Amino acid sequence: NGEVAPLFCEGTPLTPQSYWGSLTLTILTYLFGMAVTPFWPLSWWMGYYLWFSSMYYLCLAIFPLLYNSLYTRARKKTKSIFMMIVILLLFNVVTLIGAWYIWKDGEGYNHYDPNTGVQNPVDEHEDGSIHNISV
């Protein structure tokens, strides 16, 4: 008790050893609204507002292309639109169930005692195991 942890900086997945590289890439990623695109390994997590803002820009970028594609291919084809919706919903369910089966046996971080629900001391916390594979 009373000891201060040493300063450290965990870089982004693309630049794990470079503070300035990670900072620069993070600022550029959020500046251009790309935090939810495949460019996420370029940036640190900076908060919900910026993530949702980035998601909004991504939707604005994709919507015209998707709308035009659906308008020209599926206009007045109710059955094909319905089938497309059903297929996408099934894909979503399969993705969620698959993710659940992958992570259901994860051990967690040991923040709380499973028997009492009381918070464990910080020195007993763990880094997690299977959960960190996907982060």
Side-chain angles (χ1 to χ4, degrees):
N1 292 339
E3 292 182 26
V4 177
L7 295 176
F8 75 99
C9 177
E10 184 175 332
T12 63
L14 187 67
T15 56
Q17 303 300 321
S18 172
Y19 170 81
W20 291 108
S22 295
L23 180 63
T24 303
L25 288 173
T26 298
I27 291 171
L28 289 173
T29 301
Y30 279 96
L31 184 67
F32 290 105
M34 299 185 305
V36 295
T37 66
F39 295 106
W40 69 266
L42 301 177
S43 65
W44 285 314
W45 174 255
M46 289 182 64
Y48 294 105
Y49 175 78
L50 291 172
W51 186 89
F52 281 105
S53 175
S54 182
M55 186 69 211
Y56 174 71
Y57 295 138
L58 179 67
C59 289
L60 286 179
I62 290 175
F63 178 76
L65 177 67
L66 183 61
Y67 177 82
N68 288 336
S69 175
L70 290 175
Y71 185 78
T72 57
R73 293 187 182 139
R75 185 174 182 213
K76 296 184 181 180
K77 297 178 183 175
T78 307
K79 185 176 179 180
S80 62
I81 292 174
F82 180 73
M83 288 304 296
M84 191 181 327
I85 290 171
V86 168
I87 289 169
L88 288 172
L89 285 173
L90 288 174
F91 175 72
N92 191 17
V93 168
V94 167
T95 303
L96 291 173
I97 290 173
W100 182 80
Y101 273 107
I102 290 170
W103 290 300
K104 71 180 174 66
D105 295 325
E107 296 175 16
Y109 299 105
N110 196 32
H111 285 194
Y112 295 93
D113 185 334
N115 298 324
T116 64
V118 177
Q119 188 171 6
N120 289 330
V122 175
D123 56 341
E124 292 181 16
H125 291 185
E126 298 172 5
D127 289 337
S129 55
I130 197 168
H131 296 291
N132 284 337
I133 292 171
S134 64
V135 176

